[in-house]
Amino acid sequence: MLYFIGLGLGDAKYITVKGLEIVRQCSRVYLEDYTSILWYEVLEHFMLPAADQLYGDADFIFQQDLAPAYSTKATSTWFKDLISKGNAKFTLATTHSDLVLRALNAGIQYHVIHNASIMNAVGCCGLQTVSIVFWTDTWRPESFYDKIKKNRDMGLHTLCLLDIKVKEQSMKNLMRGRNIYEPPRYMTFAQAAEQLLEILQNQRDRGEELAMTQDTVCVGLAQIRAEVQTIHSGTLQELMSCDLGGPLHSMIISGHLHSLEVDMLKLFSGPEGLKTLKMTDSSTYVS
C-alpha cells in the first residue's frame, strides 16, 4: 500500500493521530518537500526504529526516481521495490495525482490520510466558497448559479458546498417560544442537481445562454475522510441517480479539464461517465 499522509500546515506535531499511526507501521517513509517548506522537525519526530530510511530530499523523489513516464519499466520497478518494503509516501502538501496514476499503473493501491492544507485553511481570509442552499416554498434563490456561470465562463472548476439544516425550528415553534427542533437535514448531490436543473430550465425559458447542461461533467463527493469516502464523476444527470452514501455531500462542477485531471476522474467514473468530454486542444477538455 502506498500511503499519502498529510502533514498539515505547521510543524511535525500537526500530523493527525491516524497519520502518525500509519507512519509508525511503515518500514520506510519518504518526506516530500517539493510542494511546501520542509519542516526539519519532522526528521527528529519520525526517525523511528522501524524505519529503514527517511528521505527529506525532494530532488531524489521527484527527479531521480519519478521523472520517467509512469508507464515505463523504471518507474514500475521503483514502485514494486517501494511496496515490497511496506513503505509509505509521506507528503507535506497536496496528494499528487501523477503519483497516484503511476502507482495504479504499476498495480499498487494507494490510500490518502487527509489533513489541513492551504486548500481549506485559506478560508481564514474571509473569502467565500459557493454554497447551494435548500429551497423553500417561498424562497428559491439562484445566486449560486450566477457564481458557477462566472467560473464556467473562465474555464474554472467550482466547488459547491451543500446545505445542512441542524437544530432548526419551525416558524410555528419559533413564534411560540417552544424549544422543539426539526429533524436534521443534509442536502444530497441529487437534491443540489435537481435545483440546478430547474434553474437551467428557467434560463432556457428566459432565452438566456446556459453556463452548463445536464451533460456537464461533475464530481460528487461524500464523507470525505480516510476510511469511508465516496467519489463519483460523470455527467450532472448521471450523478443524480448515484448513491453517494451518507452526509456530508459536496459537488464540483468542472471547467476546463487538463488531461491529467481527466485521467484522475476516470478512476471515479463508470464506463460512460466522461463520454461528453470534448478535446479543444492537446491538453484541454470541456463538457
Side-chain angles (χ1 to χ4, degrees):
M1 180 67 70
L2 177 62
Y3 291 96
F4 291 80
I5 302 173
L7 267 185
L9 289 164
D11 57 32
K13 294 180 181 179
Y14 276 70
I15 192 172
T16 64
V17 174
K18 182 70 173 180
L20 183 57
E21 288 176 351
I22 297 297
V23 168
R24 287 175 171 168
Q25 294 171 14
C26 294
S27 61
R28 183 172 295 178
V29 174
Y30 294 87
L31 182 62
E32 183 270 293
D33 69 339
Y34 181 76
T35 53
S36 187
I37 297 172
L38 173 60
W39 298 99
Y40 288 96
E41 296 95 329
V42 173
L43 301 176
E44 298 176 4
H45 280 267
F46 303 126
M47 283 296 288
L48 308 174
D52 294 332
Q53 288 177 295
L54 182 63
Y55 295 103
D57 185 352
D59 289 337
F60 175 85
I61 295 173
F62 278 84
Q63 294 180 18
Q64 180 175 336
D65 278 341
L66 299 185
Y70 56 78
S71 60
T72 66
K73 183 178 180 180
T75 303
S76 179
T77 302
W78 185 89
F79 276 114
K80 294 294 186 184
D81 175 69
L82 180 144
I83 202 64
S84 69
K85 295 180 176 62
N87 297 340
K89 171 68 174 59
F90 193 39
T91 179
L92 271 164
T94 56
T95 57
H96 303 286
S97 300
D98 183 62
L99 296 184
V100 168
L101 293 171
R102 295 183 191 205
L104 294 178
N105 188 69
I108 296 167
Q109 296 301 305
Y110 74 96
H111 194 71
V112 178
I113 308 297
H114 300 291
N115 205 330
S117 77
I118 188 60
M119 299 296 287
N120 45 49
V122 72
C124 68
C125 73
L127 300 183
Q128 299 179 5
T129 59
V130 174
S131 296
I132 298 182
V133 297
F134 277 116
W135 280 350
T136 69
D137 292 339
T138 57
W139 187 62
R140 304 169 77 82
E142 298 187 2
S143 55
F144 53 84
Y145 170 80
D146 297 333
K147 296 179 177 65
I148 294 168
K149 184 180 188 305
K150 288 180 180 178
N151 282 347
R152 287 272 297 174
D153 289 345
M154 293 185 289
L156 304 177
H157 309 317
T158 305
L159 169 62
C160 301
L161 305 182
L162 308 188
D163 202 3
I164 61 174
K165 296 292 185 185
V166 179
K167 211 171 182 179
E168 295 271 331
Q169 291 178 276
S170 68
M171 185 58 67
K172 183 177 181 180
N173 286 327
L174 185 63
M175 293 178 65
R176 295 187 177 184
R178 297 187 297 196
N179 292 326
I180 300 174
Y181 301 100
E182 300 296 299
R185 292 189 297 148
Y186 307 96
M187 182 179 284
T188 65
F189 185 101
Q191 290 171 315
E194 184 178 3
Q195 291 185 184
L196 275 173
L197 290 174
E198 185 170 331
I199 291 173
L200 291 176
Q201 186 57 53
N202 294 340
Q203 298 279 314
R204 289 190 191 94
D205 294 343
R206 293 194 291 264
E208 298 182 19
E209 183 179 354
L210 300 182
M212 57 184 294
T213 70
Q214 65 181 25
D215 293 326
T216 297
V217 169
C218 299
V219 183
L221 307 99
Q223 304 181 84
I224 296 300
R225 48 190 184 270
E227 300 299 332
V228 297
Q229 68 184 25
T230 301
I231 305 174
H232 284 305
S233 61
T235 65
L236 181 66
Q237 185 70 49
E238 176 191 0
L239 292 183
M240 279 189 67
S241 60
C242 284
D243 181 8
L244 296 182
L248 298 169
H249 289 194
S250 300
M251 171 189 289
I252 296 175
I253 299 169
S254 69
H256 292 176
L257 288 160
H258 185 271
S259 55
L260 186 61
E261 293 178 301
V262 174
D263 287 342
M264 281 298 296
L265 291 186
K266 287 177 180 177
L267 300 180
F268 310 114
S269 73
E272 301 297 321
L274 304 180
K275 64 182 179 180
T276 61
L277 285 177
K278 300 177 180 63
M279 182 182 290
T280 60
D281 58 45
S282 60
S283 63
T284 306
Y285 294 80
V286 297
S287 63

